[in-house]
Amino acid sequence: MTPYGAPGASGGTDLPAELGELALRLIRIPSESGSEAAIADFVEERLRRLEFLEVSRLGDAVVARSDFGRGRRVLLAGHLDTVPDTVPAQPAELVDGAVTGRGAVDMKGGVAVLLRLAEHAVRTAGHDCTLVFYDMEEVGSHRSGMNRLSRLHPELLRADAAILLEPTGGWLEPGCQGSLRVSATFRGRAAHTARPWQGVNAVEVALPALERCTAHKPEVVTLDGLRYPQALQVVGVAAGGDSNVVPDRCVVHLNARYAPNRTKAEVLAELRELLGPDATDLDVTLDSPAAPPALDHPVLTRLSELVEGRVRPKLGWTDVGRLAALGIPAANFGPGDPELAHGPRERVGLAELAEAYEALEKVISG
């Protein structure tokens, strides 16, 4: 990447320091999920100063779009919220070349990069840009502001490619696994535990299915040279109530993580076969779609070149899955070590912020 201060490198400014100061301001605005109004106000006010952007405020999500009629549109997105302050965090400060504090990694460092791109790079970019700052990401995909935007205002999200600034440690993590949560119900017949032969224990009815599910080892799938492991876990079993009653109902909760080459229908069919005919009901409680790597898209190809081979599969689900469901090739790429997210020692280096900024500046330059 271009050395800091070299010709053409962000106008000769002290890029790491500027990004660190902006990240620190964002960290000092409390914004746990459900309380993002203040930080959304801050972001909106800065974006509305830029006359070349069309800015929309939708609840506590802010969307800014340039419209210069350029060849492609690139969407860049980050969430404004942090996890609740149930774990003591480091103070918000600059220490040893890094910014610390709640949300430094996940993901106010990334939001700082997005804001500075809006203010210093979007106007002269070779692509049109859409910048999305959204709320409620940390409390489940069904409540996420990106979910709300995709359902109610999909026109604001239309783009040729998208990059989500989730912390990846500067690695490009294209696509993501899908996540499907289901509950299966097994029926029995209630009876007094002193006379169990008069009933049918629903837990015993469920046991063969539980054994099949716990023994099942889904295959690893390779796409674009990236290995996506799959997993099936029993995450809950609920049955019974009174200790003197044979339970007549047992509900088994499963979470399937599946590779991007598979569909929800295929995974559901596999689960039905594993659960067998004794599962009388199968209810989907969460459906988070997978996203294919799409590294052949020119925007993502360019980013993969810039990270010089630091490309790995995304294990877990992010909103790139929701963007892919809208037909937008998407990847995760942002500053910060994801292993530090949600913990008491969140910190993101100034050099990491600058490297992420410079890579994305080059991507949108076309």
Side-chain angles (χ1 to χ4, degrees), residues 214-229:
T214 55
H216 182 62
K217 305 299 180 188
E219 66 176 341
V220 175
V221 173
T222 300
L223 299 170
D224 289 357
L226 303 174
R227 289 168 54 84
Y228 290 88

Side-chain angles (χ1 to χ4, degrees), residues 5 123 148 180 194 303 319:
R123 186 168 196 164
R148 185 175 70 251
L180 195 64
L303 185 51
D319 278 301

Side-chain angles (χ1 to χ4, degrees), residues 296-318:
D296 57 347
H297 189 281
V299 169
L300 301 186
T301 298
R302 175 63 173 149
L303 185 51
S304 68
E305 293 168 351
L306 290 167
V307 300
E308 299 176 345
R310 289 181 297 165
V311 182
R312 62 190 179 191
K314 179 64 182 178
L315 304 184
W317 191 87
T318 72

Side-chain angles (χ1 to χ4, degrees), residues 195-330:
R195 296 174 291 278
W197 56 86
Q198 294 181 348
V200 176
N201 191 315
V203 176
E204 294 180 12
V205 175
L207 280 176
L210 285 168
E211 291 175 352
R212 290 191 295 272
C213 289
T214 55
H216 182 62
K217 305 299 180 188
E219 66 176 341
V220 175
V221 173
T222 300
L223 299 170
D224 289 357
L226 303 174
R227 289 168 54 84
Y228 290 88
Q230 302 183 101
L232 176 63
Q233 288 291 303
V234 177
V235 294
V237 179
D242 294 333
S243 61
N244 62 348
V245 177
V246 173
D248 63 351
R249 185 172 178 268
C250 177
V251 180
V252 174
H253 301 277
L254 303 168
N255 180 212
R257 299 285 176 147
Y258 60 95
N261 66 330
R262 304 186 68 199
T263 66
K264 169 187 172 181
E266 291 171 344
V267 177
L268 277 175
E270 181 180 63
L271 293 179
R272 286 193 179 96
E273 183 176 350
L274 285 168
L275 290 165
D278 289 328
T280 57
D281 300 291
L282 187 62
D283 298 317
V284 176
T285 57
L286 180 67
D287 174 19
S288 300
L295 283 174
D296 57 347
H297 189 281
V299 169
L300 301 186
T301 298
R302 175 63 173 149
L303 185 51
S304 68
E305 293 168 351
L306 290 167
V307 300
E308 299 176 345
R310 289 181 297 165
V311 182
R312 62 190 179 191
K314 179 64 182 178
L315 304 184
W317 191 87
T318 72
D319 278 301
V320 300
R322 200 175 309 285
L323 293 166
L326 293 175
I328 306 169

Side-chain angles (χ1 to χ4, degrees), residues 344-366:
R345 295 182 295 279
E346 282 195 69
R347 57 187 290 119
V348 60
L350 302 187
E352 294 179 80
L353 295 172
E355 287 175 4
Y357 179 93
E358 289 189 329
L360 293 173
E361 183 182 40
K362 289 173 182 175
V363 166
I364 65 175
S365 74

